[in-house]
Amino acid sequence: MSGEWTRYWRDGDRPLEAMHARFERRSYHRHSHETYSFGVTEEGRQAFRCRGAAHTSAAGMVMAFNPDDAHDGGPADRAGFIYRIVHLGPDLVGEVLADITGRPTGLPLFASPVVEDPVLARDLRALHRALAGGASRLRRDELLTATVASMVRRAAVGSGRVTAPSPSRADARVVQRARERLHDGLLDDISAEELAREAGCSRFALYRAFRRAYGMAPSDYQRQLRLRAARRLIARGDPIAEVAAATGFADQSHLTRWFVRCYGITPAAYRRAAH
């Protein structure tokens, strides 16, 4: 990919932003953010100074900036670089960690601005794509929790302290309430917080209990319900574009991608077989 470009996404309700960019000549003046900023370099190399030292983030490396970490940055060479970065407010990070542990926790501190960790790079890419790519609120919330937990466990000072409470006997009731809510509101763009509140537990407790019960996250289960509904409508002969809109998919191509991933055939092929 040639030329410079920037794509930006912002949550309207929470201190959560994401940017995807390619820079060839542009450099950042020294600045800082009031947020945690977690980035992953996808192509090329970017060079910057932070905490009195020079650093280089090459493809696959992760950057971790604490709030108020002053830094600059730009291409390390003429090839430029492509990167993704997510900005999270400290209060939001604290809420996620408290939800995971079941108690208030101190905010994490990241000692190194550059981390070589393929797992963290994968998690950050997945979160960024969900935020900027139109994923459901439920899916975005699940990946946010998973990524914050992964960053703290694998890269923060004193890592490994993020531990979840043990499963309780109430898990079955919690999962049943969540399952009923997803069935009743097939098209609702429900958040993880709303679903957990109706189930009567924390977001992370619901996520763990639901995965144990059904082998998938609530967002995957929600998508499965929508795909099942789409199958019924397609078999009935409804136009595929109308089916996509009626079952909560962004458009026909969105439905087709997930239909193929889960069933191995396109909606059109399924309709021909059904008739």
Side-chain angles (χ1 to χ4, degrees), residues 223-239:
R223 187 189 309 110
Q224 172 184 268
L225 294 179
R226 292 175 176 178
L227 284 170
R228 291 175 180 176
R231 280 167 63 100
R232 291 192 291 269
L233 295 178
I234 292 169
R236 191 174 71 181
D238 291 12

Side-chain angles (χ1 to χ4, degrees), residues 195-207:
L195 186 62
R197 184 167 59 245
E198 296 194 25
C201 65
S202 72
R203 299 187 300 268
F204 191 69
L206 174 59
Y207 178 84

Side-chain angles (χ1 to χ4, degrees), residues 30-221:
R30 192 164 182 79
H31 67 288
S32 65
H33 303 274
E34 59 185 358
T35 62
Y36 285 96
S37 300
F38 302 135
V40 57
T41 305
E42 295 192 305
E43 295 182 19
R45 298 186 306 141
Q46 53 181 311
F48 62 94
R49 293 190 64 84
C50 182
R51 303 176 209 164
H55 305 274
T56 300
S57 176
M61 292 182 178
V62 168
M63 294 171 293
F65 297 118
N66 300 300
D68 297 321
D69 266 348
H71 59 281
D72 54 16
D77 52 45
R78 291 184 177 181
F81 66 93
I82 299 175
Y83 82 127
R84 299 175 187 263
I85 192 161
V86 178
H87 303 284
L88 302 90
D91 289 346
L92 178 58
V93 172
E95 289 172 8
V96 170
L97 294 176
D99 188 76
I100 294 171
T101 61
R103 64 186 186 279
T105 66
L107 290 174
L109 177 67
F110 296 89
S112 176
V114 178
V115 182
E116 292 190 61
D117 190 317
V119 173
L120 291 184
R122 180 202 65 198
D123 291 347
L124 276 170
R125 280 193 294 266
L127 172 61
H128 192 286
R129 286 171 177 148
L131 293 176
S136 69
R137 292 176 66 192
L138 191 55
R139 182 61 175 164
R140 296 199 302 264
D141 288 348
E142 289 170 356
L143 288 173
L144 173 63
T145 297
T147 301
V148 169
S150 184
M151 285 296 303
V152 172
R153 287 185 179 125
R154 302 178 71 89
V157 174
S159 59
R161 296 177 182 175
V162 181
T163 56
S166 301
S168 70
R169 294 182 179 179
D171 281 358
R173 294 191 299 273
V174 162
V175 168
Q176 182 61 26
R177 286 195 288 266
R179 180 180 180 275
E180 290 173 356
R181 175 64 178 85
L182 292 174
H183 278 265
D184 292 342
L186 179 69
L187 298 182
D188 294 349
D189 190 17
I190 189 170
S191 69
E193 182 178 3
E194 292 169 328
L195 186 62
R197 184 167 59 245
E198 296 194 25
C201 65
S202 72
R203 299 187 300 268
F204 191 69
L206 174 59
Y207 178 84
R208 291 195 309 147
F210 207 98
R211 281 190 63 92
R212 281 196 300 270
Y214 291 105
M216 63 180 69
S219 64
D220 293 324
Y221 189 86

Side-chain angles (χ1 to χ4, degrees), residues 251-269:
D251 51 32
Q252 182 172 335
S253 63
H254 186 209
L255 168 61
T256 298
R257 286 196 302 273
W258 279 107
F259 207 94
V260 171
R261 288 182 68 176
C262 292
Y263 301 131
I265 58 173
T266 65

